[in-house]
């Protein structure tokens, strides 16, 4: 607290507004002697950046990252790594209309009420632009996880009412919506186009897998692995729900159905099913960790909506500017990043006691 | 971290195993001069305690709380409040069978893997018994919230496939399942009896409302109100999912549908709908905060299940002892408590800056 | 924060007032599988308890500790260890005189101003009685340190103007003032008796050594080893100053004198002198860590002193009750404990990154 | 932890090495609506920067600060404030000699042992250059304190054996050594020149005053005001001791002497003396807070010294480059800053509960 840092041992703090000079992050707690270059970080930033395809916002930000500290001779030194991304393609004039009118679904009203002042340009601090910093921190976390053979993968599971049925990791980066089912992917993209053409937007579901984690990660009672992952992922502005394994389906399951029975496999304890989503009693159990995220439809739409002004009069608003009709494909690297920073933090914590 | 404390300014740490001498909690950060008695705390403890009705475990624990510090002349003094609950009705012999066999769905295996040692009696630290300490801390948090007219209410929304349809707070404590719909309540109770008779258990959904909160609570970016509530609630052992407002339904909603349009009502900003669940951009927006929890079916069932031993052999297990066939009614005070401690913490944080 | 917990990975929270039902501590973050009994803890508690000799307060507290959790089959299990010490020998009536008059040197006035309410009996939370909880936590920390061959020793270096000159660890527990110089010890004891007879008290200096620590412990920049040790030790009520190695003598030293020159000794880097007190750049350097503490004379004296009442009138006060004429001998186990908990915390932190 | 952030509610994280692209800080928890410009920050940075006079290092760094976020229309917005200072005048070649030889008194050896890798150029992260970030954060903290009429002043009390005797705040910025006694100041400057000419350096004592603080600030037991101030100030690389009020003189004082007797003055509680240094029981008592810091002589000297190489051979070293012969005048803004950030943090904490 006060809210702009995350983590205990792998710990980062971020800054920056959508239309200020730039955004950035300091990451503290990165173990020394890990090879790290700007390219390592740029890879995931490019997966998140705007303007990737015709189903994302056309804002053109290169999101070019500069390493300001913490790396020497191509390796981390154990001291803080600072990353800076300058803002380039701000169209602040687009936002003058919203200086005095609160956009429905956005944080304009709540920030005004909390702080009594806000940088209204592009949403200021509450803009999704901040997520680039999460992605940058996540790229470094992924390098730590890789040393322990832990891998994070996310993909679009559903857009509107279109669900992915088949499942192939290698398909994810081949389609613009980042679905793991190539057939459903095309239908999802069509669906997004339809909403875009109407000046509207559409929600979806993103699924994350964390594979390769050994049993025992997590810190009960209050920092259970699922609790801290929920904290991390629910802190992404666009996420309204999270569920592990069988998720809300547990409501209609019996204990006998839901219990993942243990069975010895190749001399190791495993389970016949994975309704738990890889976490039992708040600790990783050795199965793949699986979770789903409810992704709300972007709030910025050109359709006219009712709203109110700062002075308290009823009015209407059309949100212009350059926006995403469905945020799932761009949320994916952000969700991966938040999984990665959490897992890296929990991994370091676990190591402390062993 | 390391996991047994929660909160920043309203902060507590808990201890205790199911079959040890007792359990307890220290609560630090309670503002001074709040009237507080053991009865204030006992009220919610009695709502959580075992043996309340024929759909809860018959273990007989009075859960009598003793205040050890922090209260003088019936008022809080601003110093830590320690609460102790002695264990009484342990049947440790019931658990000798599980010393060497991991119960499916329970934390036996994962604790063994994390710590290399565990108090197997009644699940030790991983037992649901620990939630009494949450409830005790929550009772104090509720007193702080009450001074700011914030109220927390939870109820059973669904058991198996039976859903509540009507909604009346005054019904909740009148039925054993704590549903807000008295008609559905009876069906839920019947459903629970059916599973109990089969030696099985059943899941459900609990809904929480936090009413009366002014706009602006929460600490973006990473301690958004929904993020910290998720952390708090997902740390309850039996919860597998959480969703705010429209929750997972956002997947199929358009932005136009999902955006809560602002409208002036009695000179105040309000919104026509509350799909957001009372939180926008991670800050309370003045509407009621609403969230749903996926409650898994209790893992302790008498039906025979496959499992493995500590030594790595396949076996089967029947979990005897005294268990709940559906945990929803007893999760309710726990969920309320975790909402309350989180809101109290965020309230104190908010005050610091204003 | 809010002040009653300490540490990040080896973390404890304490509670209790001088004249309430009892005092206690929860210690979280103790690694599993460490043998632990109540006797291990009682040993240091007995070194701190009142009534040890004729130069300590005659209050008779057994300070009998009860382990409430976290130990199973004689070993730590990795979950929180709660310790409870019941208060026995309170003479609350002795304190009725101070309900309305602030004792000079004590926290009566400042607690009243901060909280607007206070448990005046025996100083309530501000009583030195709380240090028993530090000692109990420290006893467990020492067991962790011992596994890494780190040892903490403290002794009385000075009482009034009498300084220890010779230095022998084995002498410390043989004299009531816990000096490392047996000849000076007798003079110190005489000095204390003189002040006691006058109804007055006397200050001193305590020295701590932390021996056996490998190079590299500490977390720069802000959690340098000397910074966190200072935090820990200055949180003891009676300490007014701390200095490492040459301490305040550095003011008159030149860089050439003060720099500890490196020299290879038995194939290892060592230094010819240890003016740094074993810490360079905030990290342990492999030499013994040495620090001195300024211990103020106890504030409770029977001599009549000027003071003011709660209502704001000038008055005089004589502090009766049972008090220590010099706190050095009883501060020693407390100072050791605070060194130990800090070192254990820094050790676990260090391990996380290695 | 892991060491590069400080504070709970007024919280900052810093980054940067002496010879990297730059250094900087993110400050989170600054209340909204405080006027803030780069000039506000630059003022104190200029007091710390190198090359101010002929008794400081001749390295020429402008230390020009850029605000990257958190300020809109000249006011803070409640979101993180990021500050960047680019490095300009690095002479990295000066340091090639120390790549393989550890400088006595510096952190070269301990960083190498902790991290197994280090940026040796100019001391890398362990360079005093990092203190510019503390000063920048402190400048913002001072603006918060000013609103509550709390002021921080530091000055050089002693250099070598030359002590200030008179005391006048208005003299401090008029002499290069920043003493409050103008006569002693000239002698101190001469003394520093003597050591400089010998290729050596000299230590000193800096005194800090925190004036205007109301009674009740601090969070006992473990975050007593003196404990957190000690943490903050001892984290400055060059400080080896800290003492409040009478400091180490308490060793020879009796309780009767040392107790600050209360007396009503103009209808307010005050004390006849201030041996406590303005803090009783860990809480501010309304008197001025006074503390002294032991400042070690700078380790970088041109005199030849014994040392060892990375490979473990004995050798000698002369430290060239551009260095300070006495760091007191440049430590002053740093000490003020660390007092200010601590007081701002404790002030916000206190407000949370009131």
């Amino acid at each position: 607290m006060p809210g702009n840092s995350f983590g205990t041992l792998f710990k980062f703090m971020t800054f920056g507004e959508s239309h200020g000079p730039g955004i950035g992050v300091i990451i503290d707690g990165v173990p020394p002697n890990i090879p790290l270059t700007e390219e390592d970080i740029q890879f995931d930033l490019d997966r998140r950046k705007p303007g990737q395809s015709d189903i994302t916002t056309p804002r053109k930000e290169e999101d070019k990252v500069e390493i300001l500290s913490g790396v020497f001779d191509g390796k981390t030194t154990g001291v803080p790594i600072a990353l800076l991304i300058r803002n380039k393609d701000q169209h602040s004039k687009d936002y003058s209309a919203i200086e005095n009118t609160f956009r429905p679904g956005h944080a304009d009203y709540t920030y005004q009420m909390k702080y009594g002042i806000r940088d209204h340009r592009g949403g200021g601090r509450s803009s999704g632009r901040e997520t680039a910093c999460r992605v940058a921190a996540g790229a470094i976390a992924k390098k730590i996880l890789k040393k322990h053979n832990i891998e994070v993968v996310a993909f679009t599971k559903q857009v509107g009412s279109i669900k992915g049925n088949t499942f192939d990791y290698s398909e994810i980066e081949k389609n613009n919506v980042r679905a793991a089912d190539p057939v459903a992917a095309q239908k999802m993209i069509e669906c997004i186009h339809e909403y875009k053409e109407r000046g509207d937007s559409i929600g979806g579901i993103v699924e994350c897998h964390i594979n390769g984690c050994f049993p025992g990660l997590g810190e009960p009672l209050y920092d259970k692995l699922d609790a801290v992952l929920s904290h991390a992922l629910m802190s992404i502005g666009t996420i309204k729900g999270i569920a592990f394994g069988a998720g809300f389906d547990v409501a209609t399951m019996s204990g006998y159905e839901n219990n993942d029975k243990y069975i010895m496999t190749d001399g190791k304890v495993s389970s016949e099913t994975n309704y738990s989503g890889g976490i039992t009693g708040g600790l990783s159990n050795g199965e793949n960790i699986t979770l789903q995220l409810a992704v709300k439809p972007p709030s910025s739409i050109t359709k006219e909506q009712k709203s109110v002004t700062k002075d308290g009069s009823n009015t209407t608003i059309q949100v212009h500017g350059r926006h995403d009709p469905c945020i799932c494909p761009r949320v994916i690297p952000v969700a991966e990043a938040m999984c990665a920073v959490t897992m890296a933090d929990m991994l370091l914590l676990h190591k402390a006691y062993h």
Side-chain angles (χ1 to χ4, degrees), chain A:
Chain A
M1 313 274 180
N4 293 283
S5 53
F6 190 82
T8 298
L9 296 184
F10 181 93
K11 185 174 179 176
F12 61 93
M13 191 184 273
T14 61
F15 71 88
E17 288 86 51
S18 182
H19 289 216
I23 59 175
V25 54
I26 309 176
I27 304 120
D28 196 11
V30 181
N33 279 305
I34 299 176
L36 186 72
T37 64
E38 284 163 353
E39 288 67 42
D40 290 329
I41 301 163
Q42 198 64 49
F43 176 79
D44 271 342
L45 283 175
D46 288 348
R47 292 173 68 217
R48 192 217 71 98
K49 78 175 177 189
Q52 294 175 50
S53 76
D54 62 358
I55 58 167
T56 61
T57 164
R59 178 169 170 172
K60 282 285 174 209
E61 286 287 356
E62 276 184 275
D63 283 354
K64 202 79 196 162
V65 70
E66 181 188 8
I67 297 178
L68 292 174
S69 68
V71 178
F72 183 61
D73 280 347
K75 285 183 192 157
T76 61
T77 61
V79 309
I81 298 169
L83 305 174
L84 176 62
I85 300 168
R86 294 274 177 185
N87 292 332
K88 303 275 188 191
D89 188 32
Q90 306 104 307
H91 288 192
S92 298
K93 279 175 298 184
D94 285 357
Y95 292 89
S96 55
I98 65 160
E99 190 173 348
N100 293 308
T101 301
F102 302 126
R103 291 169 300 169
H106 279 288
D108 302 339
Y109 171 64
T110 50
Y111 269 59
Q112 187 68 41
M113 293 303 282
K114 184 173 188 70
Y115 300 110
I117 183 175
R118 77 196 151 96
D119 179 351
H120 67 278
R121 300 166 305 162
R125 181 66 176 153
S126 73
S127 164
R129 182 143 182 73
E130 58 90 0
T131 58
C133 298
R134 301 178 188 243
V135 169
I140 296 174
K142 284 179 180 178
K143 297 209 86 173
I144 298 172
L145 297 181
K146 204 173 183 180
K147 286 180 66 174
H148 293 82
N149 300 313
I150 300 172
E151 191 190 26
V152 182
V153 191
F155 54 91
T156 299
K157 179 75 180 178
Q158 183 176 338
V159 168
S161 53
I162 300 155
K163 298 181 187 181
N165 297 305
T166 64
F167 173 75
D168 182 349
Y169 286 150
S170 71
E171 292 291 337
I172 299 170
E173 293 296 319
K174 291 183 186 157
N175 61 77
N176 287 338
V177 75
R178 292 199 169 94
D181 171 347
V183 177
Q186 295 318 310
K187 292 183 193 157
M188 291 174 183
I189 291 168
E190 279 163 37
C191 170
I192 293 169
H193 275 294
E194 277 170 41
Y195 280 91
K196 184 184 175 185
E197 277 151 32
R198 280 182 231 161
D200 206 344
S201 65
I202 183 69
I205 290 176
V206 159
E207 185 162 319
C208 300
H209 294 182
I210 305 168
N211 300 338
C213 183
F214 56 87
L217 229 57
E219 297 297 329
L221 298 183
Y222 305 107
D223 296 318
K224 289 188 166 119
L225 192 53
D226 34 1
V228 289
L229 282 168
S230 296
H231 189 151
L233 289 157
M234 291 296 296
S235 79
I236 304 172
T238 195
I239 306 298
K240 297 301 287 184
I242 184 168
F244 289 80
F248 279 81
D249 290 347
V250 295
T252 55
M253 291 174 88
S254 81
Y256 187 78
E257 286 174 283
N258 187 246
N259 282 348
D260 298 311
K261 282 85 181 173
Y262 294 114
I263 187 160
M264 295 305 297
T265 310
D266 303 331
K268 283 177 55 185
V269 175
S270 67
S271 64
E272 291 187 329
T273 50
N274 186 13
Y275 291 124
S276 72
I279 300 175
T280 310
L283 298 172
S284 60
N285 60 25
E287 303 298 315
N288 289 341
I289 297 166
T290 63
L291 60 94
Q292 294 202 333
L293 302 170
V295 181
K296 77 171 192 175
S299 302
S300 292
I301 54 174
T302 50
K303 265 194 165 172
E304 190 175 79
Q305 304 171 83
K306 286 193 209 169
S307 188
V308 302
T309 64
K310 236 163 102 174
D311 308 328
S313 315
N314 287 313
T315 185
T316 61
I317 188 169
Q318 281 182 286
V319 181
H320 294 294
R322 299 160 298 172
H323 305 293
D324 292 88
C326 176
I327 203 65
C328 287
R330 290 181 65 211
V331 155
I332 282 167
V334 181
E336 284 178 11
M338 293 311 290
C339 289
V341 298
T342 305
M343 294 303 289
D345 197 29
M346 300 313 275
L347 187 67
L348 294 177
L349 273 164
H350 185 79
K351 278 184 63 186
Y353 299 109
H354 286 87

